[in-house]
């Protein structure tokens, strides 16, 4: 299990997470699956955190309609929604019990740790088949742009 | 037949199919047809008593069935049914902090007592002193007469009543009280002592409503301002508590 992320896309996620601080930022990761369960991300969709105001510093929710629109867009471009990213303001990039409770199978969960407004770490996770835990996914951060091969 | 669209994470349970033609005149019937053909999908859509799981959204032609007739929503032949998972999460942990409500109640009792004494003795200077202490307390993020509470606690006369709560609304309530007493003092200074006493009485009344009825009006104002997205007001009432009411321990 590897998530391949190009530097310009990683920057886009970082900027969104920093701009949204101290609230949690969230969005979708679109791309294609290659041999050996390598997920190459080629597009990032930043979305609004739809959790009720006042608790967005430790919770996020995406609008289902945004997900439908993203699924349609992914399909048109021959891509898939492969994962979700969100930020943990002033908190480790480890999934919380709440993340586990809400997690869906299949998706990669990319968590960005933002300390005092600066993104400092990205970790990728995937829900275990029995829902008991998240497993770490190898994160392959490319130094060049766009995850094209 | 209507078309049911399967979201990516559930496609492994439908042999990879994105869209499936299902029979049924309602959402519930179509989903039953779907899970009869793909039984592995059922536990991801329904809970033990056969109802849709809370994190499963169903849309019929871009309309959430919750805004229609729920699972009983009727389907026409070419309707498009979309199963959309709710995506949520977050670092979690309680955003609340321990707040000693016994300290807050002591503070209110002292404020009421001093303002009444000020009126009886016709001593606006006491009103000014209480207002000043409340403003200092708000700035230091603690009750103005917290020192008096600590003094009463030492021999065991008062017991702490610590609950998980937002301290900010209580601080705002105290700030509001301090500002009102400041205005009251201004009234006395310009010779409108009637207005001065009315403002002081209002502060005493709101402290009494808090002390005896358990309703913090200043806190409720804080939460209303937060709902209106006023900058600087960001906290929501603790789960299960009405704005301004004491949260459960």
């Amino acid at each position: 299990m590897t998530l391949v992320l190009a530097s310009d896309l990683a920057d886009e996620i970082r900027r969104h997470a920093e701009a949204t601080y101290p609230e949690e930022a969230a969005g979708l990761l679109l791309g294609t699956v290659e041999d050996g369960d390598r997920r190459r991300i080629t597009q990032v969709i930043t979305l609004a955190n739809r959790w009720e105001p006042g608790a967005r510093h430790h919770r996020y929710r995406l609008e289902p309609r945004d997900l439908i629109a993203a699924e349609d867009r992914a399909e048109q471009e021959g891509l898939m929604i492969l994962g979700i990213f969100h930020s943990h303001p002033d908190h480790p990039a480890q999934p919380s019990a709440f993340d586990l409770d809400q997690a869906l199978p299949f998706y990669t969960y990319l968590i960005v740790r933002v300390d005092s407004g600066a993104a400092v770490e990205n970790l990728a996770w995937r829900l275990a088949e029995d829902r008991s835990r998240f497993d770490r996914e190898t994160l392959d951060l490319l130094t060049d742009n766009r995850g094209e091969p | 037949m209507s078309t049911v669209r399967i979201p990516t994470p559930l496609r492994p349970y439908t042999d990879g199919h994105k869209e499936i033609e299902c029979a049924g005149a309602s959402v519930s019937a179509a989903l039953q047809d779907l899970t009869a053909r793909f039984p592995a999908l059922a536990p991801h859509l329904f809970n033990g008593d056969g109802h849709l799981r809370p994190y499963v959204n169903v849309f019929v032609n871009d309309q959430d069935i919750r805004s229609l007739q729920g699972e009983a929503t009727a389907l026409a032949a070419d309707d498009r049914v979309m199963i959309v998972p709710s995506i949520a999460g977050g670092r979690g942990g309680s955003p609340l902090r321990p707040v000693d409500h016994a300290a807050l109640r002591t503070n209110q009792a002292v404020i009421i007592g001093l303002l009444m004494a000020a009126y009886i003795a016709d001593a606006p200077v006491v009103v000014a002193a209480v207002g000043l202490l409340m403003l200092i307390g708000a700035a230091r993020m603690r009750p103005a007469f917290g020192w008096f509470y600590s003094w009463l606690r030492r021999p065991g006369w008062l017991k702490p009543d610590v609950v998980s709560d937002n301290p900010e609304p209580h601080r705002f309530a105290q700030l509001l009280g301090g500002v009102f007493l400041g205005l009251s003092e201004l009234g006395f200074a310009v010779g409108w002592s009637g207005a001065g006493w009315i403002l002081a009485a209002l502060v005493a009344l709101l402290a009494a409503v808090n002390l005896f009825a358990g309703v913090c009006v200043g806190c409720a104002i804080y939460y209303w301002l937060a709902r209106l997205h006023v900058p600087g007001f960001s906290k929501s009432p603790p789960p299960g508590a009405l704005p301004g009411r004491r949260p459960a321990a």
Side-chain angles (χ1 to χ4, degrees), chain A residues 52-80:
Chain A
E52 288 67 31
R56 289 181 189 154
H57 59 289
H58 73 136
R59 294 273 191 269
Y60 76 92
R61 182 189 292 122
L62 299 182
E63 164 63 42
R65 280 172 213 278
D66 288 343
L67 193 68
I68 296 175
E71 286 240 13
D72 287 342
R73 178 166 152 188
E75 200 157 310
Q76 280 163 18
E77 300 182 23
L79 305 173
M80 277 167 93

Side-chain angles (χ1 to χ4, degrees), chain B residues 127-240:
Chain B
V127 176
V130 173
L132 188 65
L133 284 171
M134 286 174 81
L135 291 176
I136 293 171
R140 295 176 64 211
M141 299 191 209
R142 58 188 65 173
F145 300 97
W147 53 270
F148 183 60
Y149 168 72
S150 305
W151 183 76
L152 289 174
R153 257 192 69 187
R154 226 164 286 142
W157 293 340
L158 281 179
K159 295 229 176 321
D161 172 25
V162 179
V163 293
S164 290
D165 197 357
N166 292 308
E168 294 84 356
H170 297 291
R171 181 190 180 201
F172 176 72
Q174 181 163 250
L175 175 71
L176 217 56
V179 169
F180 270 60
L181 293 185
L183 290 174
S184 151
E185 203 48 36
L186 205 64
F188 292 122
V190 299
W192 296 353
S193 55
W197 286 122
I198 288 170
L199 282 168
L202 186 66
V203 172
L205 178 74
L206 292 180
V209 166
N210 201 342
L211 180 62
F212 299 114
V215 178
C216 171
V217 175
C219 303
I221 294 172
Y222 176 99
Y223 289 125
W224 291 330
L225 292 172
R227 260 173 55 198
L228 295 169
H229 307 291
V230 175
F233 299 83
S234 61
K235 298 290 161 94
S236 304

Side-chain angles (χ1 to χ4, degrees), chain A residues 108-120:
Chain A
T108 293
Y109 284 84
L110 181 74
I111 304 180
V112 186
R113 175 184 184 148
V114 184
D115 283 351
S116 308
V120 293

